[in-house]
Amino acid sequence: MRIGIFGTGGMADALGAHWARAGHELLVSGRSAENAAALANRLGAATGTWPEVAAAADVLLLALPAGAVLDVLAASGPLTGKVLVDCTNDPALTGAPVASRIASASPGAHVVKAFNLAPTDIWQLTPPAWEGRPLSVPLCGDDPAALAAVGTLVRDIGATPVAGGGLDRAALLEATAAFVIGLWFAGEDAQAILAPVG
Ligand SMILES: NC(=O)c1ccc[n+]([C@@H]2O[C@H](COP(=O)([O-])OP(=O)(O)OC[C@H]3O[C@@H](n4cnc5c(N)ncnc54)[C@H](OP(=O)(O)O)[C@@H]3O)[C@@H](O)[C@H]2O)c1
């Protein structure tokens, strides 16, 4: 696949490294040309402006703060037919879910919420795993082809995709992240609250 990566921070680096190893063609864009060039150099990727990368890519990873992603998309030109992978978290859960806001702002694009539940130090592992358990990655989206493409990208990092339902359920992924990450930062063992249903 031709994957555009928006953002040059931890998530962009961790997921991009897996996809580069898997043989995907990567393009990086960021607000800092210097940071974009440094990440592209590590990944063996090309760089471009937001609209250049959006136009060239089939799939766009939105590895940006939730509060920045809509402005960046507005500057990215037409997104019709693109798969937008939303890994963002908004710890404050302000307003409508980020995934819904992205979908409303990008008519004709196919939004898939994914990769928002685990931290970058786990995504950096090959394969991503904790305590010997490989990671599963829930996906929420409405377009079957987009879900299949992102499912392939999940397998390419060594994880297992899990059908999470339609994009309306992305709100649950965002709320889960906000709640669980809050527990981790408070020093609690968030895994200990998720006992399996008998
Ligand atoms: N960190 C995690 O463990 C984790 C896990 C799952 C999901 N997420 C979510 O994934 C997204 C990316 O997280 P991250 O850890 O990769 O963040 P990060 O390391 O802080 O990187 C953020 C990127 O966004 C860019 N950026 C910041 N403000 C911007 C703006 N106003 N306009 C354009 N670009 C802007 C930064 O550019 P500069 O380099 O110029 O600052 C940087 O390239 C966030 O929504 C986060 O909540 C994070």
Side-chain angles (χ1 to χ4, degrees):
M1 277 178 237
R2 199 178 287 171
I3 304 170
I5 298 180
F6 278 2
T8 58
M11 290 296 286
D13 201 344
L15 295 176
H18 286 292
W19 293 331
R21 270 193 302 273
H24 295 289
E25 183 182 345
L26 302 182
L27 305 106
V28 173
S29 194
R31 66 177 175 177
S32 152
E34 191 183 347
N35 290 350
L39 177 60
N41 194 37
R42 285 199 295 283
L43 300 179
T47 59
T49 61
W50 307 121
E52 285 168 349
V53 168
D58 310 307
V59 174
L60 283 173
L61 173 70
L62 308 176
L64 298 165
V69 71
L70 292 187
D71 286 344
V72 170
L73 289 175
S76 297
L79 296 167
T80 304
K82 307 293 179 184
V83 176
L84 305 182
V85 182
D86 169 23
C87 72
T88 66
N89 280 316
D90 176 6
L93 289 181
T94 43
V98 186
S100 307
R101 283 185 261 155
I102 291 170
S104 298
S106 316
H110 308 299
V111 181
V112 177
K113 186 93 199 180
F115 304 111
N116 70 315
L117 290 184
T120 44
D121 54 343
I122 297 292
W123 297 121
Q124 284 163 0
L125 301 174
T126 307
W130 45 271
E131 293 180 355
R133 297 179 67 179
L135 205 64
S136 292
V137 180
L139 310 181
C140 291
D142 293 332
D143 183 76
L147 287 166
V150 181
T152 297
L153 294 178
V154 169
R155 287 189 198 89
D156 285 344
I157 72 168
T160 303
V162 172
L167 198 65
D168 57 336
R169 287 172 59 85
L172 299 178
L173 281 186
E174 294 181 16
T176 301
F179 190 74
V180 168
I181 292 167
L183 288 178
W184 285 125
F185 276 106
E188 303 290 347
D189 178 0
Q191 280 173 35
I193 68 170
L194 294 171
V197 178

